[in-house]
Structures are given as structure tokens and as C-alpha cells.
Amino acid sequence: FAEADGTIKAIDGLKVTIQKTDGTSVEQTVLPGADLVVTVGEEVRKDEPITTNPNVGGFGQAEKEVILQDMNRVCAFCALSFSIFLSQLSFVLKKKQFEKVQLAEGF
């Protein structure tokens, strides 16, 4: 997010220079991994986002996988997965049974 109101004066790698309306400059460092959405000469307001997602970037913040840390969550996930598997299996078996009945009746 922009630290001050003003105009973007320079973008140098991960450093963005904002010139305030009173003439002073503020240099702001952007975290690595985030893409800038501002260009030189653009007007920004304080706390306006200047990157695509300011929460992405830095060490160890890549989206990878869900980590189940509580044993109760692991058991609940296993129970849910098993119940979904059983319901899908029963649907498949019922469909096969229905197809056999149709074949026997000659439809």
C-alpha cells in the first residue's frame, strides 16, 4: 500500500519513490513476488494498493497445499472422504444393477 499521497516519480526494482504534494519524497520498498500495478507519473493516495497482492511475496509464502495440523481434522477429513467414496460406489453399483434389469426386460 502507498505510504503517502502523491505522484510516482521513480520505480527502481523493488523501490518505489513517491513525491508528496509538498515536494518531499518518500521511498517505499515493495516485497519480492508482488507485481506493481502503478507506473511512473501516476497519482496515488495513501493506503492505495500499488501491487497486485501485497500479502504475496517474501520467503515461504507460496501457495502449496492444505496442512491439517489437528488430529481431529485429519480424522474428520478421512471420514468425509470415506463416506463420499462409499456413496459414489453405491451410485455406480445401483446404476449397474439398473442396467442389468433393463437388459433383462429387453429395453
Side-chain angles (χ1 to χ4, degrees):
F1 293 105
E3 293 179 359
D5 290 338
T7 306
I8 304 292
K9 276 299 177 193
I11 299 174
D12 182 29
L14 298 177
K15 295 185 180 188
V16 177
T17 306
I18 302 172
Q19 184 173 7
K20 295 182 184 180
T21 53
D22 62 359
T24 60
S25 294
V26 175
E27 191 171 280
Q28 181 175 351
T29 304
V30 180
L31 294 175
D35 297 326
L36 291 171
V37 295
V38 293
T39 57
V40 176
E42 190 173 334
E43 294 278 332
V44 292
R45 300 189 74 50
K46 185 172 178 16
D47 295 329
E48 182 179 326
I50 60 173
T51 60
T52 52
N53 187 350
N55 296 322
V56 175
F59 180 75
Q61 293 185 9
E63 292 181 21
K64 292 193 178 191
E65 59 190 34
V66 176
I67 298 173
L68 300 171
Q69 298 174 349
D70 186 13
M71 197 61 195
N72 291 333
R73 287 183 181 178
V74 173
C75 291
F77 176 73
C78 289
L80 177 70
S81 298
F82 186 70
S83 65
I84 291 172
F85 170 74
L86 285 180
S87 64
Q88 292 296 320
L89 181 65
S90 65
F91 290 147
V92 169
L93 293 176
K94 187 67 178 173
K95 183 178 179 186
K96 293 287 183 187
Q97 180 186 21
F98 185 69
E99 289 173 353
K100 285 181 183 178
V101 170
Q102 283 184 330
L103 286 175
E105 291 179 355
F107 285 109

